[in-house]
Amino acid sequence: AERTACDPCSDMGASFYSAAGAPCVSCNVGKQPAANLASCADCPPGHFSLGDACTACDAGSEPSNDKGYCVSCKLAGDNAYSSDGVDCLTCGAGTQPNEERTACVGCAALSAEANSDSGMIDFIQTEIESTCGDLYSSCASDSDCSAEFDAALLADEMPTAGHADLMSLLECVDDSGIEVYSYRVGYYSLAGAACVPCGSGKEPHSATQGSCVDCLNGEYSGGDMCRSCAPGTQPSSDKGRCDPCSLNGDSSHSTDGVACSSCQAGSNPNADRTACVSCADAGAGFYSAAGAPCQMCGIGKQPAGDLASCVDCGSGEYSDGSSCERCPAGTQPSNDKGRCESCTTQGDSSHSVDGVSCTSCGAGSNPNAERTACDPCSDMGASFYSAAGAPCVSCNVGKQPAANLAS
């Protein structure tokens, strides 16, 4: 102040400098005084300053345009990060920044984390327990089985070998149609975008997680990975699950899990809906039209040779629906051809020589005991006669049978 000496600019503050013969002034933001305090120097990359001393920005941020402060990479975009505080960069396809914006993490890791979430696992366990109660309890009470079961819920595919109780439990899960994997998610990301889940019927690209790939025919996915549907099922319309062929009709089946289709006429799906079996396996008398279940023919009918329809029994035949049989002589088929009726029910003079139909004996004759033929009234005695359709009777006193025995 007295102008008796020169004081260093640093006495005025950390940001001050002066050129030769000039007063001390403060450096601008983004700069700091040079070591000799004779000029200002720009802050190096990744540093900021209010004009005093340049300080490094933390990872997850970058200097502002004027290098006067540090800016979070969150302001640079949804997929921006900085590992060194120098520049916020964009994560590549299949990745997104971590919470601190200091690095990129793969979408696959996010998928694994979501699919191992305790809440989701508990939900699936509860569904299995409510459906397969005793088998679930048996496995849960054994530490080895329980450990294998927990691992199975986190695996990409159900095991095909393991603890006996676990195998029984998983068989119940399969038979019950419980969807273990349809709840899973699979994340992907385009370059510069955050990881988002693939929808039903898709899976992240296995190498890059940078896109979603459609499941192939016969496959389903909740979004994490495509799996094959089992025989007896087919993918749902959105390929998000496997639907049993029973939903497609009584005659629907699938041998490979690709698509359910109707069995041909004369056949019916097996219990698992994995193949078609002949209606003959259901028993005599069963048939089916195309796309319909096997069913029994009605009385008076029998299956056609190809088991695709029912045909009426012929003349003189009867059936309970299984096969047509001949009525014996002395009988005829009932009106519905469901049984044979004795000719005795048709009148005193009725008979049948071939089982086709009962007819009356002619005048002068009478049915034999079996109703299989007509015998002349003379076989009963010299006084017997019969009118047409009437039984043989004796003439009254003072009369004799006519020559034709008809009166």
Side-chain angles (χ1 to χ4, degrees):
E2 295 80 13
R3 301 293 182 100
T4 58
C6 292
D7 296 327
C9 289
S10 57
D11 289 352
M12 299 180 66
S15 63
F16 284 84
Y17 79 100
S18 72
C24 293
V25 293
S26 181
C27 289
N28 294 325
V29 295
K31 298 177 181 292
Q32 67 178 4
N36 61 5
L37 305 181
S39 62
C40 290
D42 291 330
C43 288
H47 288 66
F48 76 99
S49 170
L50 294 176
D52 44 4
C54 294
T55 304
C57 287
D58 293 331
S61 66
E62 66 180 355
S64 59
N65 290 336
D66 61 3
K67 293 187 176 182
Y69 54 93
C70 295
V71 181
S72 171
C73 289
K74 292 179 179 179
L75 299 177
D78 291 337
N79 216 26
Y81 80 101
S82 171
S83 61
D84 53 13
V86 175
D87 287 304
C88 291
L89 306 175
T90 298
C91 288
T95 66
Q96 74 171 24
N98 59 10
E99 183 64 27
E100 296 78 21
R101 297 300 183 103
T102 59
C104 295
V105 294
C107 293
L110 297 176
S111 300
E113 180 181 352
N115 292 328
S116 62
D117 176 72
S118 60
M120 187 192 73
I121 297 298
D122 289 345
F123 172 78
I124 298 173
Q125 283 182 325
T126 299
E127 187 174 3
I128 293 174
E129 181 180 10
S130 64
T131 305
C132 308
D134 291 341
L135 293 173
Y136 176 85
S137 298
S138 178
C139 182
S141 64
D142 185 288
S143 59
D144 291 337
C145 184
S146 180
E148 290 184 28
F149 177 63
D150 290 343
L153 295 182
L154 294 175
D156 287 334
E157 298 284 352
M158 283 295 173
T160 56
H163 195 285
D165 287 346
L166 175 65
M167 294 296 99
S168 297
L169 176 58
L170 296 184
E171 183 177 356
C172 173
V173 170
D174 184 60
D175 291 343
S176 302
I178 297 175
E179 296 289 353
V180 175
Y181 298 117
S182 63
Y183 305 103
R184 294 198 175 191
V185 295
Y187 287 94
Y188 80 102
S189 78
L190 303 174
C195 295
V196 293
C198 288
S200 295
K202 300 177 182 291
E203 66 179 358
H205 190 285
S206 59
T208 66
Q209 283 81 50
S211 62
C212 291
V213 181
D214 290 330
C215 291
L216 302 176
N217 289 338
E219 294 182 335
Y220 78 102
S221 171
D224 67 324
M225 78 178 278
C226 295
R227 300 172 178 85
S228 296
C229 284
T233 69
Q234 68 176 6
S236 58
S237 58
D238 63 358
K239 291 189 175 182
R241 64 184 185 280
C242 296
D243 286 337
C245 289
S246 58
L247 297 179
N248 275 44
D250 293 333
S251 184
S252 187
H253 77 294
S254 169
T255 60
D256 52 13
V258 174
C260 297
S261 60
S262 295
C263 290
Q264 296 295 315
S267 63
N268 202 59
N270 60 8
D272 300 326
R273 299 298 183 105
T274 58
C276 295
V277 294
S278 171
C279 288
D281 291 352
F286 282 84
Y287 81 101
S288 75
C294 294
Q295 54 188 317
M296 185 80 174
C297 287
I299 57 175
K301 299 177 182 289
Q302 69 177 7
D306 59 3
L307 304 183
S309 62
C310 293
V311 294
D312 293 328
C313 291
S315 296
E317 295 181 334
Y318 78 100
S319 171
D320 61 358
S322 55
S323 64
C324 295
E325 306 292 341
R326 293 287 302 183
C327 282
T331 69
Q332 69 176 11
S334 59
N335 289 335
D336 60 7
K337 293 189 176 182
R339 65 188 185 282
C340 295
E341 295 177 336
S342 171
C343 288
T344 58
T345 65
Q346 304 301 308
D348 292 336
S349 184
S350 185
H351 78 295
S352 169
V353 297
D354 55 9
V356 174
S357 64
C358 295
T359 58
S360 295
C361 288
S365 63
N366 201 61
N368 61 10
E370 295 80 18
R371 297 296 181 106
T372 59
C374 295
D375 296 330
C377 290
S378 57
D379 289 352
M380 298 180 67
S383 65
F384 283 83
Y385 80 100
S386 73
C392 294
V393 293
S394 181
C395 289
N396 293 326
V397 293
K399 295 179 181 289
Q400 69 175 7
N404 62 2
L405 304 182
S407 60

